[in-house]
Amino acid sequence: MEYSRGDHTSNRLKLLCKIAVLLCIGAAAASGQLTDDYYDYCCPQVYRIVRSRVAAAMKAEMRMGASLLRLHFHDCFVNGCDASILLDGSNSEKFAAPNNNSVRGYEVIDTIKADLESACPGVVSCADIVALAAKYGVLLSGGPDYDVLLGRRDGLVANQTGANTNLPSPFDSISTITKSFQNVGLNVTDVVALSGAHTIGRSRCLLFSSRLANFSATNSVDPTLDSSLATSLQQTCRGGDNQLAALDVNSSDVFDNHYFQNLLANKGVLSSDQGLVSNSDDPTVAATKALVQAYSANGQRFSCDFGRSMVRMGNISPLTGKAGQIRKNCRAVN
């Protein structure tokens, strides 16, 4: 049988790709650590593919950048950063109280995964896709271009109970939230820096309406909430618990330090946001307030600390080496 030069070239490229994938997997198994060059040889187009799909999703709906960032956060705090939040089924984390009808972006991840399976079959994990999508959600909103360490593998099980108990709640005190962070190896700086993710995105009225009426025996409205903002939010929430309000008033789609300036003016929408500066009875607040003041005055410091905290969060209990698997479909184990 005769072969054309094109056949030989095609076969040679396929062989080189297979070798690159084996080297990629072998290096990961040997090191067991995340690296910033993990896909440089086995799927160098991963960055272009993820960025283009995130950009398209944000062009259709700017809010999607914040949603993808939140998806990464909610994944990492349950079972570590293993894409367990993407799994369907009766124990799916999607149906846990903090995620149900709240966490978004699953379809964007599906689209990215389909592109990558076509370009680099069986190479890029869903967990790494979630981490990279969050990065580009931040970057394309005007935020810092931090390095994402890669080489995660995908978990085999979801943990709905863990999602219900491990994720910080907007109703928690700052001390309780800080303890949740400490439980996964993060610290007070991470609490404040990652709270700054609320510089983009929106919240349902359900999560802050308790601050707007019948707040206490002595105050109808939460006294730590700016009165003009309270009036505006009351009007928004007349439409019901699922109405949306910007978390960063007047700067909802731009990643900047305006969120921290709002907190100092009592314009934090969520109780857990305003609590970073306003609850003097909480022993943790002295430290968090100092950081809020620093970030409010210095946007560059916030961007640097945010990038570092994202890397630290992305390193929560990742599966590496031969643990887990590379899912072909992010919604189901192979």
Side-chain angles (χ1 to χ4, degrees):
M1 182 180 294
E2 294 183 359
Y3 293 91
S4 68
R5 175 178 291 183
D7 292 328
H8 285 298
T9 301
S10 176
N11 289 336
R12 184 170 180 271
L13 287 173
K14 289 179 181 178
L15 177 60
L16 289 173
C17 285
K18 288 182 180 179
I19 293 172
V21 170
L22 290 172
L23 288 172
C24 183
I25 295 171
S31 69
Q33 294 183 340
L34 306 182
T35 66
D36 60 2
D37 60 354
Y38 184 83
Y39 295 111
D40 284 7
Y41 296 101
C42 49
C43 193
Q45 58 268 60
V46 62
Y47 304 100
R48 173 181 57 79
I49 289 173
V50 177
R51 178 171 180 151
S52 65
R53 284 299 187 178
V54 171
M58 291 176 65
K59 183 177 181 180
E61 183 189 14
M62 192 65 185
R63 176 189 170 207
M64 187 53 68
S67 296
L68 292 169
L69 173 56
R70 186 163 180 254
L71 179 64
H72 185 35
F73 180 94
H74 280 231
D75 179 42
C76 289
F77 268 69
V78 183
N79 289 2
C81 307
D82 67 345
S84 60
I85 194 171
L86 304 179
L87 290 170
D88 289 335
S90 59
N91 193 40
S92 176
E93 294 167 25
K94 297 175 183 179
F95 302 119
N99 299 333
N100 193 28
N101 297 319
S102 178
V103 172
R104 310 165 67 243
Y106 303 115
E107 293 79 9
V108 178
I109 302 300
D110 289 340
T111 302
I112 295 169
K113 180 62 173 175
D115 286 354
L116 287 169
E117 282 299 302
S118 177
C120 317
V123 174
V124 182
S125 69
C126 301
D128 277 349
I129 292 172
V130 171
L132 282 170
K135 168 206 168 80
Y136 288 119
V138 170
L139 181 64
L140 296 174
S141 298
D145 186 10
Y146 59 91
D147 286 334
V148 177
L149 302 182
L150 300 167
R152 299 169 190 81
R153 289 168 65 83
D154 299 322
L156 303 178
V157 295
N159 184 357
Q160 189 176 122
T161 299
N164 277 318
T165 57
N166 296 349
L167 286 165
S169 164
F171 305 108
D172 286 343
S173 69
I174 301 305
S175 288
T176 299
I177 291 172
T178 300
K179 183 65 167 60
S180 296
F181 274 63
Q182 290 171 339
N183 288 343
V184 293
L186 302 180
N187 59 34
V188 171
T189 299
D190 298 317
V191 171
V192 182
L194 294 176
S195 293
H198 289 170
T199 181
I200 53 176
R202 290 157 178 77
S203 171
R204 291 185 296 164
C205 288
L206 174 69
L207 299 181
F208 59 82
S209 58
S210 61
R211 304 183 70 201
L212 304 180
N214 303 314
F215 179 73
S216 69
T218 55
N219 294 285
S220 176
V221 176
D222 185 342
T224 67
L225 180 61
D226 173 80
S227 59
S228 62
L229 177 59
T231 299
S232 175
L233 293 174
Q234 287 167 340
Q235 293 173 346
T236 297
C237 294
R238 284 174 184 165
D241 284 345
N242 289 323
Q243 293 297 305
L244 298 173
L247 288 168
D248 186 350
V249 182
N250 299 324
S251 180
S252 59
D253 292 322
V254 179
F255 197 100
D256 55 23
N257 67 335
H258 193 254
Y259 161 84
F260 296 104
Q261 295 167 4
N262 279 341
L263 298 186
L264 296 177
N266 284 353
K267 292 183 178 181
V269 174
L270 300 178
S271 175
S272 56
D273 287 337
Q274 193 57 48
L276 292 170
V277 299
S278 294
N279 188 355
S280 58
D281 294 331
D282 190 319
T284 310
V285 168
T288 59
K289 183 175 183 179
L291 284 164
V292 168
Q293 292 170 328
Y295 295 156
S296 172
N298 189 335
Q300 183 61 38
R301 178 176 174 184
F302 163 53
S303 291
C304 289
D305 281 1
F306 179 83
R308 280 193 287 264
S309 290
M310 285 297 292
V311 172
R312 284 167 52 79
M313 185 185 78
N315 204 34
I316 296 174
S317 304
L319 299 175
T320 59
K322 296 182 179 180
Q325 63 180 205
I326 305 298
R327 287 185 218 141
K328 297 176 182 179
N329 173 357
C330 290
R331 294 175 180 262
V333 297
N334 297 339

